[in-house]
Amino acid sequence: MATQAKRRRVAGPVGGGDADPDPVAGFLSWCGQVAVSRQGTVAGYGMVARESVQPGELLFAVPRAALLSQHTCSIGGLLERERGALQSQSGWVPLLLALLHELQAPASPWSPYFALWPELGRLEHPMFWPEEERRRLLQGTGVPEAVEKDLANIRSEYYSIVLPFMEAHPDLFSPRVRSLELYRQLVALVMAYSFQEPLEEEEDEKEPNSPLMVPAADILNHLANHNANLEYSPAFVGPGPSFFLPPQNCLRMVATQPIPKGHEIFNTYGQMANWQLIHMYGFVEPYPDNTDDTADIQMVTVREAALQGTKAEAERLLLYERWDFLCKLEMVGEEGAFVIGREEVLTEEELTSTLKVLCMPAEEFREFKEKDGWGDNKREEDSLTITNIPNLKASWKQLLRDSVLLTLQTYATDLKSEQDLLSNKEVYTKLSWREQQALQVRYGQKMILHQLLELTS
């Protein structure tokens, strides 16, 4: 079991040893030492195994007292008292204020940790790309639209909540941290490097836990086929000065696969499609490595495809009536998307319901509407698994195919041009880093969409 793992130092030194009188200071000091061995694949640095590691072995443990959050920072009491005034759409304002304060605090205990951070001025999230470049390279992927929303929310949050709070407490926030650009950089950093402790099963009805920064754990890069995982355990203050604190007092990074000596240790950031990785973290996994990659078909695109098949005004009005009914059932929305993976439809219920309602005969729809839906009477042959798509009704397949074709039209390039770039190594290596990353996003999405075209032909 991971909690009984041998306490070998498999991922570098882990502090001052068993006699360390201050385990948290020792741990953060170790974090500062790690910066000298930055190496890795995606982010320019990472963590490698100093010895061969077996599944279940403890790689390192992070004392809970070393976590940086709105509760552990030196202004935690103030942030708690002002919690109501700091509420925002993102829910990140208290943590961001904690970071802004600790960054300029002369004696912040997290100073060694901050030395590990990437240069804030060199973050590669698309929000830092010129708008023209972002739109040109990522058109059709959904990233430009997501970034525009982010930038608008960041600006609104900063000027309406964050800046007034800092100006009200000038003794805690020096003028050099009162900057929209710095705030935007820290939002990107939290987006890419923070963790969110999951709720316990009995806490499912509670609000999600606030994000927090986990020193050392955020050094690890991400792969879908990862070989390590961060394990949480209930907070507990245990006795004793040992750096190796009781399991309840730590977050533990545990190996999930064999890791040979000298190989990089990879965590998982969750099941992330490439468009999400580049949007939130500033990198992608090259095709076909990301088994969690997806392509989106906007819900309104399916409505548009269905409208193409209407001829009379009465048919158009009926189609809008069907759409409104789907909205009532909470199956569609103006800003939603149907999510298609390589091997499954992640929004199977929503897409199945939409195809069924938009394609059923008018009389059947009337009866269906009167019953307010179908309850539990769903047929197995209507299942929208990838393998079952060729067996769907012809009208369903046609609507799905038309929706895919409309989606492909939103890209500036076609699949063949992407394939030509990827297959020509000499040309590919001459592309800029951003061009390569964007190409991988577009290509992965188009491969999924073209698979749908084959299945619906």
Side-chain angles (χ1 to χ4, degrees):
M1 296 293 291
T3 55
Q4 301 299 319
K6 296 179 181 178
R7 291 173 176 171
R8 295 193 298 142
R9 296 176 177 178
V10 295
V14 287
D18 289 348
D20 194 335
D22 187 345
V24 173
F27 178 81
L28 290 171
S29 175
W30 169 63
C31 286
Q33 297 169 22
V34 174
V36 301
S37 58
R38 294 187 176 189
Q39 53 183 301
T41 52
V42 253
Y45 65 97
M47 187 177 289
V48 297
R50 288 174 40 170
E51 304 174 23
S52 295
V53 181
Q54 296 305 310
E57 282 203 66
L58 179 66
L59 299 170
F60 58 85
V62 184
R64 281 188 173 272
L67 306 181
L68 175 49
S69 73
Q70 65 195 66
H71 305 295
T72 62
C73 69
S74 59
I75 59 170
L78 173 63
L79 295 176
E80 179 61 27
R81 291 192 298 273
E82 299 287 339
R83 180 173 54 178
L86 300 179
Q87 291 182 351
S88 67
Q89 184 177 356
S90 71
W92 296 358
V93 166
L95 174 60
L96 289 160
L97 284 167
L99 296 179
L100 286 165
H101 172 73
E102 295 294 342
L103 271 176
Q104 44 94 74
S108 174
W110 286 279
S111 293
Y113 167 58
F114 297 146
L116 267 182
W117 279 7
E119 293 182 40
L120 295 180
R122 300 183 64 182
L123 295 173
E124 275 293 347
H125 298 64
M127 72 165 66
F128 301 110
W129 301 7
E131 182 178 359
E132 181 279 328
E133 184 179 26
R134 184 168 63 235
R135 288 196 165 277
R136 173 171 51 84
L137 295 179
L138 293 167
Q139 178 182 326
T141 64
V143 176
E145 294 80 5
V147 169
E148 287 172 11
K149 290 180 182 178
D150 288 344
L151 293 175
N153 290 337
I154 290 168
R155 185 178 183 84
S156 172
E157 193 172 83
Y158 177 76
Y159 283 112
S160 64
I161 303 174
V162 176
L163 183 58
F165 184 86
M166 290 194 292
E167 290 177 338
H169 302 281
D171 54 323
L172 299 176
F173 300 94
S174 65
R176 73 182 180 87
V177 299
R178 297 180 215 165
S179 156
L180 174 60
E181 181 60 21
L182 175 59
Y183 188 72
R184 189 162 63 119
Q185 292 168 348
L186 289 178
V187 168
L189 190 88
V190 168
M191 191 183 290
Y193 289 87
S194 68
F195 292 76
Q196 191 169 35
E197 187 163 2
L199 296 171
E200 300 292 332
E201 287 186 12
E202 61 271 16
E203 298 178 322
D204 282 346
E205 300 301 318
K206 289 178 59 179
E207 288 290 316
N209 286 317
S210 302
L212 45 84
M213 309 304 290
V214 184
D218 56 14
I219 298 174
L220 273 62
N221 289 316
H222 162 93
L223 276 184
N225 184 27
H226 56 98
N227 53 24
N229 189 50
L230 186 65
E231 294 186 353
Y232 300 84
S233 55
F236 170 75
V237 179
S242 169
F243 183 85
F244 290 102
L245 300 171
Q248 297 89 345
N249 218 23
C250 298
L251 275 60
R252 297 166 294 146
M253 189 65 71
V254 178
T256 59
Q257 296 185 38
I259 308 173
K261 178 180 178 180
H263 282 226
E264 186 169 1
I265 303 168
F266 289 98
N267 188 20
T268 174
Y269 304 163
Q271 292 181 308
M272 294 282 180
N274 267 348
W275 81 266
Q276 294 170 308
L277 286 175
I278 198 167
H279 170 222
M280 298 177 65
Y281 303 95
F283 71 91
V284 302
E285 291 192 63
Y287 186 87
D289 293 354
N290 189 357
T291 54
D292 296 321
D293 208 6
T294 63
D296 287 359
I297 299 175
Q298 297 301 311
M299 291 177 172
V300 292
T301 299
V302 178
R303 183 181 65 191
E304 182 183 349
L307 283 169
Q308 289 180 346
T310 60
K311 298 176 182 177
E313 181 64 18
E315 291 178 334
R316 292 176 59 84
L317 292 175
L318 179 58
L319 190 137
Y320 278 110
E321 183 181 347
R322 295 170 190 250
W323 184 263
D324 290 342
F325 184 68
L326 286 167
C327 289
K328 178 185 174 184
L329 295 177
E330 298 184 346
M331 292 295 166
V332 297
E334 294 297 309
E335 295 188 359
F338 300 115
V339 184
I340 318 296
R342 293 185 192 172
E343 298 181 356
E344 62 177 331
V345 179
L346 278 68
T347 51
E348 180 183 353
E349 180 182 5
E350 292 83 353
L351 185 52
T352 300
S353 302
T354 301
L355 295 175
K356 182 182 182 76
V357 170
L358 295 184
C359 293
M360 64 175 49
E363 187 57 37
E364 183 180 346
F365 172 67
R366 296 297 180 200
E367 296 176 6
F368 180 76
K369 188 177 179 182
E370 288 175 5
K371 296 177 181 177
D372 206 25
W374 50 76
D376 296 325
N377 298 322
K378 297 180 182 178
R379 300 184 302 178
E380 188 174 337
E381 58 266 33
D382 292 342
S383 172
L384 203 66
T385 60
I386 293 292
T387 54
N388 194 51
I389 287 177
N391 302 322
L392 296 176
K393 296 175 182 177
S395 58
W396 291 30
K397 287 196 291 183
Q398 187 61 53
L399 179 54
L400 184 56
R401 181 179 182 81
D402 291 344
S403 303
V404 171
L405 290 170
L406 285 177
T407 300
L408 287 169
Q409 291 177 17
T410 64
Y411 296 91
T413 54
D414 59 18
L415 181 64
K416 185 179 184 307
S417 63
E418 316 284 36
Q419 289 172 328
D420 290 344
L421 282 173
L422 285 168
S423 62
N424 190 327
K425 290 186 178 180
E426 184 179 352
V427 173
Y428 182 77
T429 55
K430 291 180 180 178
L431 297 176
S432 70
W433 185 88
R434 291 175 181 177
E435 288 171 332
Q436 292 178 357
Q437 300 292 291
L439 173 58
Q440 295 288 349
V441 176
R442 300 192 308 264
Y443 184 70
Q445 291 183 348
K446 290 175 187 176
M447 286 295 288
I448 292 172
L449 292 171
H450 276 267
Q451 179 188 28
L452 280 181
L453 286 182
E454 293 178 9
L455 293 170
T456 55
S457 61

